Amino acid sequence: MRIGWIGTGLMGAPMAARLIEAGHQVGVHNRTRAKAEPLLALGAEWAGSVAGAARDRDVVVTMLSYPQDVAAAYEAPDGILAAAAPGTIAIDMSTSSPGLARRLAELAAGGPLAAVLDAPVSGGPAGARGGTLSIFVGGDAGALARIQPLLAVLGTTVVHHGPAGSGQAAKLVNQALVANVTQGICEAFAAAEAAGLEPDRVLESLRVGVAGSPLLDFAWTRLAAGDLEPGFKVAHLAKDLRLALDEVGDARELPGTAQVYALCQAVVDALGGDRGTQALITTTRNSRGTQSC
């Protein structure tokens, strides 16, 4: 397929690389060209603008950080909706707003695009590199069938959740769960520290029990190494939790999620938004009056 790819960050770059390696013709655009250089070395074509990435493609994919970035990419005068050829399928794989996904699908219905699908993913950079992502899809089922071979390169689980916006809504469910589990892991690690336990030995016991999970392995080993570099940025988790709380409409219905959102904001204020989500440990340590990582 002729694919336009917009957004080459922690997730976007390895996903686009898989499509290039699978033989697709990929044109990439990013606000910072330097971040796209590894993809150009693999054979991608550089697109100097969003319009350039969207023009004359079978599929256009956006993988961006924030809903406002997604809205601009699609709705600007030189954006995807204006530049894409008739019949193009657009896929927003960012984690974004269900309401925005519905709006973009409606706009596509009145223009040349065949469809705009919302298809956010879970699995982190490792899943992006390995093609093992879970992909949450909302939108037109016929359009999904057309791009199924492309999604099969990126993920092992592709689930159609319903009409436009439902993929984003399902991903926000995932993020609420991830946030609460991550906070639980950080608190458990702090409890192990307070008890004077050896972290590797504790993990050996935990990972084979009901508490074991890939997220536990990732966060615990990073915490044990004092490593707060991101597999997923805390600012992005805060954004996702804000979207989840807005979608529900009443924070009292998601009290744990609301609490983790506030803790994420505290980490962003103290350390910046580029630390990994395991940096939630610092709120626990600071509350005990001990030094954070």
Side-chain angles (χ1 to χ4, degrees):
M1 293 182 180
R2 297 169 300 166
I3 301 167
W5 191 281
I6 301 166
T8 59
L10 280 174
M11 294 293 290
M15 292 167 70
R18 287 194 60 83
L19 296 175
I20 296 165
E21 291 164 353
H24 295 286
Q25 180 185 338
V26 181
V28 298
H29 175 72
N30 196 71
R31 283 180 294 190
T32 306
R33 176 171 174 149
K35 290 186 177 180
E37 289 294 345
L39 297 174
L40 303 183
L42 288 176
E45 167 196 350
W46 172 249
S49 65
V50 168
R55 196 174 292 118
D56 298 323
R57 310 287 179 180
D58 301 308
V59 176
V60 181
V61 182
T62 46
M63 190 60 171
L64 301 168
S65 297
Y66 296 98
Q68 58 266 34
D69 300 326
V70 175
Y74 281 87
E75 298 180 282
D78 57 349
I80 295 167
L81 291 169
T88 301
I89 296 175
I91 316 166
D92 181 31
M93 304 192 82
S94 324
T95 300
S96 185
S97 158
L100 175 59
R102 290 189 288 269
R103 185 172 87 221
L104 295 179
E106 290 169 2
L107 290 171
L113 288 177
V116 178
L117 300 176
D118 47 297
V121 303
S122 181
R129 291 189 295 270
T132 59
L133 295 170
S134 178
I135 306 176
F136 308 73
V137 185
D140 182 75
L144 172 58
R146 284 176 54 190
I147 54 92
Q148 188 76 35
L150 183 155
L151 297 183
V153 175
L154 303 175
T156 51
T157 302
V158 180
V159 177
H160 186 218
H161 289 275
S166 59
Q168 294 292 356
K171 175 62 189 295
L172 295 180
V173 171
N174 180 85
Q175 296 305 84
L177 182 58
V178 165
N180 283 278
V181 172
T182 300
Q183 176 61 15
I185 292 167
C186 289
E187 292 185 9
F189 190 90
E193 283 187 319
L197 297 172
E198 207 284 312
D200 290 346
R201 290 178 181 271
V202 177
L203 180 59
E204 184 180 355
S205 293
L206 294 176
R207 63 166 38 124
V208 296
V210 295
S213 71
L215 182 54
L216 172 68
D217 273 5
F218 173 83
W220 193 280
T221 54
R222 292 289 182 100
L223 290 170
D227 180 0
L228 300 187
E229 290 305 302
F232 186 58
K233 293 180 180 181
V234 69
H236 292 171
L237 182 59
K239 175 263 297 183
D240 295 348
L241 299 185
R242 182 69 266 165
L243 289 170
L245 292 167
D246 289 346
E247 187 70 7
V248 171
D250 187 346
R252 291 175 298 182
E253 295 186 25
L254 301 176
T257 300
Q259 181 183 33
V260 181
Y261 169 71
L263 292 172
C264 286
Q265 288 295 109
V267 173
V268 171
D269 292 342
L271 301 177
D274 288 340
R275 300 300 183 101
T277 54
Q278 69 273 21
L280 285 164
I281 189 71
T282 61
T283 61
T284 301
R285 286 172 170 164
N286 288 343
S287 70
R288 289 194 282 125
T290 56
Q291 187 175 0
S292 63
C293 290

